[in-house]
Amino acid sequence: RASVFKDTLKGMVVGAPLGVCVNCAAPIAYGMSKQGTRKGTSLATMFASPTLNIVVLAMTFSVLPMYMAVTKLIATFMFILLVLPLLVRFGSGGDAPGAAVASAADEQCALPAVSESWPAALLGLVPDLWRNFLFIVIRTVPLMFVAGFLGAAIANLVPLESLADWPVSRSEEPCSRNAET
């Protein structure tokens, strides 16, 4: 039996270069789990991808002060490499739902030889890709239109000048500027 710590390290190495947001990392981890990937690997991939990809790291170190960015990075590593393996090991019995499929495949020494040609394989792949594409489009495009409509409505209904008088922090009093004039 493989180490849970090794599984989470593998998931972190797989997830960091993916560069996907949380909304995409969750279905990716779910798909990995359904295909037989161990829980530690799929969960570490899900947490590492939106927190350790190069875009997020660049934004973190450019927007936050150095001590906060380093603290966030250390906390992320501690969670993925220490807390997550413990949660996986002691949190629930058993492994990923597809683990039985993976262990059955591991028992076989070799995969059966398939004499499928490349054109036949592509003809089998294209309908699956098209069905998955439509699944994503049907569920996301209407939400994108709603978000765009709401953003445009707010941008047009709320005058930009009205935001200038809002206090930036709690220590600043909004009426102090008006009292001086």
Side-chain angles (χ1 to χ4, degrees), residues 4 15-16 24 26 43 45 48 57 75 92 98-99 104 111 121 123 137 140-141 154-155 158-159 161 173:
V4 178
C24 297
L43 287 173
T45 301
L57 289 176
S92 64
L111 295 173
L123 284 176
V137 166
T140 59
V141 170
I154 290 172
V158 176
E161 295 80 23
E173 296 179 19

Side-chain angles (χ1 to χ4, degrees), residues 1 32-39 93-108:
R1 182 166 158 96
M32 289 173 66
S33 179
K34 291 290 279 186
Q35 291 301 317
T37 305
R38 301 179 68 82
K39 279 184 189 176
D95 210 334
V101 174
S103 63
D106 289 341
E107 291 175 4
Q108 297 175 348

Side-chain angles (χ1 to χ4, degrees), residues 112-133:
V114 178
S115 60
E116 187 175 29
S117 67
W118 280 100
L122 287 175
L123 284 176
L125 174 71
V126 169
D128 287 339
L129 287 176
W130 180 249
R131 187 175 52 249
N132 290 335
F133 173 75

